[in-house]
Amino acid sequence: MKCPNPLLFLVIIVSFLAACAAHEEVGRATFDKGNAALDNGDYDSAIEYFNETLKVKPDSAGAYISRGIAFGSKGNIDQAIADFDQAIKLDPNRAYAYKNRGISYSSKGDFDKAIADFNESIKLDKSNSQAFVERGFAFTKRLTDKISFSSKENRTQDHVRELIKEQQSDYAKAIDDFEQAIKLDPKNIEAYLLLGEIYPLTLDDKGFDKAIDVLTTAINIDPTNIEAYYLRSARYQGKSSSVALDDDFATTKNVSYQYDEADLNNALSDLNHVINLSPDYKDAYLRRGRIYYQKGEFGKAIEDYTRATKINPERAHEISEFIEKLKALETKKTQ
């Protein structure tokens, strides 16, 4: 019996290893290209690259996660969840996979599943600031959706307040998460903004002041952040007045003009910043018009409501009717 040629075996082994290395290189190259496309917002190309990666590396949890993010960014939430499911099967210790699946569940309104995934993600990686932000957001959305879906007959202010009382534990959990996110990342603007939204809803007498403080911090971090200025203006306005103005423009028949002038002036200053940064920000004109209405400065209110209708004419007819009422009030005031 002839002995095998050792040199032949060596050639075969070297060839096999070279083929494996080439295979690995193709997978890595397409994965890197996919992530580059994902970063650039080219989700279709990203998906194609990740498809190529998975052909040569079907056990790549990272490729499934990245492709899931691309699908989610395109609005294909179910496919995104399927990819995150597969990534978790391949690697159950990927905190990033749980976090992104949680975001997908949140976008579908399935907040209980989202919270469960964020819990798992945080258990695996307690240093991820954004996971705390996402879980806190899911807690707040679970409550606001409950309020939104309440029957219109029961949606009195007292009823909403009772719902809020029932769900204070969710608000407390959300606040804890946002505050923890800030401890981990003191420049996490989203956490500050979400605290600015939630503090006044906690039935804390200092809720508006706390909101104003965190939004001021956000503005100090990013002086061009339009959302922070706009939200802080709303908190100054809410702190200032007992009048409930929940619509896009005030329509209350018997409005009390009692207000704290310093707070309303601060709100006006913030709205002026918003308009300077974004002159076509319709909501800023509507809110500023509301404040002028509260102060009895009907002429200025008319100017802002008129500007808002020019930017976005969808509600022009409805707002125009209110403008006519303002004109009548202005005429009466000057008589």
Side-chain angles (χ1 to χ4, degrees):
M1 183 176 174
K2 210 171 178 183
C3 291
N5 187 337
L7 185 58
L8 178 60
F9 272 118
L10 182 61
V11 170
I12 292 171
I13 291 170
V14 170
S15 298
F16 175 75
L17 292 175
C20 288
H23 213 53
E24 180 75 20
E25 178 125 358
V26 169
R28 171 52 60 185
T30 55
F31 182 67
D32 289 343
K33 288 178 181 178
N35 281 322
L38 187 60
D39 289 341
N40 290 328
D42 186 356
Y43 305 122
D44 290 326
S45 294
I47 290 167
E48 288 302 316
Y49 282 125
F50 296 133
N51 289 343
E52 291 301 313
T53 302
L54 290 167
K55 285 179 184 177
V56 297
K57 294 185 69 180
D59 59 347
S60 173
Y64 278 109
I65 293 171
S66 292
R67 192 176 70 174
I69 293 170
F71 277 126
S73 299
K74 280 172 60 68
N76 192 339
I77 305 303
D78 290 332
Q79 184 59 58
I81 290 172
D83 273 358
F84 298 138
D85 287 345
Q86 186 60 28
I88 290 166
K89 285 179 184 177
L90 290 166
D91 185 354
N93 294 316
R94 287 276 185 128
Y96 196 52
Y98 288 103
K99 186 191 83 172
N100 280 286
R101 190 172 68 177
I103 292 170
S104 295
Y105 279 131
S106 268
S107 69
K108 291 187 71 169
D110 195 339
F111 300 112
D112 290 331
K113 285 186 178 179
I115 289 166
D117 270 349
F118 296 135
N119 289 343
E120 193 63 31
S121 179
I122 289 166
K123 189 189 301 182
L124 292 167
D125 180 8
K126 293 181 174 62
S127 67
N128 191 311
S129 173
Q130 198 58 30
F132 285 98
V133 169
E134 297 294 348
R135 188 174 69 178
F137 178 75
F139 280 128
T140 61
K141 284 296 292 178
R142 186 165 69 176
L143 172 57
T144 54
D145 273 16
K146 183 176 179 181
I147 294 172
S148 297
F149 288 126
S150 298
S151 64
K152 289 184 178 179
E153 303 85 59
N154 292 329
R155 280 193 66 196
T156 63
Q157 287 186 355
D158 287 342
H159 178 64
V160 171
R161 194 174 179 85
E162 284 305 311
L163 282 173
I164 292 173
K165 283 181 180 178
E166 290 173 16
Q167 297 294 322
Q168 283 302 294
S169 62
D170 271 4
Y171 278 147
K173 291 173 186 175
I175 288 170
D176 285 346
D177 276 349
F178 298 144
E179 290 177 346
Q180 180 62 25
I182 289 168
K183 286 180 185 177
L184 292 168
D185 179 7
K187 292 187 177 181
N188 191 321
I189 293 290
E190 187 177 3
Y192 290 107
L193 294 176
L194 288 166
L195 280 173
E197 289 185 1
I198 196 173
Y199 274 141
L201 304 177
T202 60
L203 308 183
D204 182 343
D205 290 341
K206 297 294 183 182
F208 283 106
D209 289 319
K210 289 180 178 179
I212 290 165
D213 286 345
V214 294
L215 293 167
T216 299
T217 302
I219 289 167
N220 289 337
I221 294 169
D222 180 6
T224 65
N225 192 293
I226 293 171
E227 189 176 353
Y229 282 112
Y230 181 78
L231 187 54
R232 191 174 68 173
S233 77
R235 297 304 172 243
Y236 275 125
Q237 185 184 8
K239 179 187 174 187
S240 164
S241 175
S242 60
V243 178
L245 299 173
D246 296 327
D247 199 358
D248 284 339
F249 57 95
T251 56
T252 310
K253 291 182 179 178
N254 298 310
V255 175
S256 168
Y257 295 116
Q258 295 178 356
Y259 58 86
D260 182 278
E261 187 162 1
D263 284 329
L264 280 193
N265 286 338
N266 284 331
L268 286 172
S269 176
D270 278 348
L271 291 168
N272 291 339
H273 275 294
V274 172
I275 290 167
N276 285 336
L277 290 167
S278 181
D280 289 334
Y281 197 109
K282 169 182 64 73
D283 289 345
Y285 291 100
L286 291 172
R287 183 168 292 281
R288 195 170 68 175
R290 263 183 274 176
I291 293 175
Y292 285 135
Y293 175 52
Q294 283 180 265
K295 295 180 71 172
E297 298 182 26
F298 304 121
K300 290 181 178 179
I302 290 167
E303 290 178 9
D304 276 348
Y305 286 125
T306 302
R307 173 66 175 160
T309 60
K310 289 179 179 177
I311 295 170
N312 187 346
E314 287 181 6
R315 297 183 67 184
H317 177 71
E318 188 178 1
I319 297 175
S320 294
E321 289 182 351
F322 183 62
I323 289 173
E324 292 305 312
K325 294 179 183 179
L326 286 174
K327 287 179 180 178
L329 288 170
E330 177 68 3
T331 300
K332 185 177 179 181
K333 179 182 174 182
T334 56
Q335 284 177 348

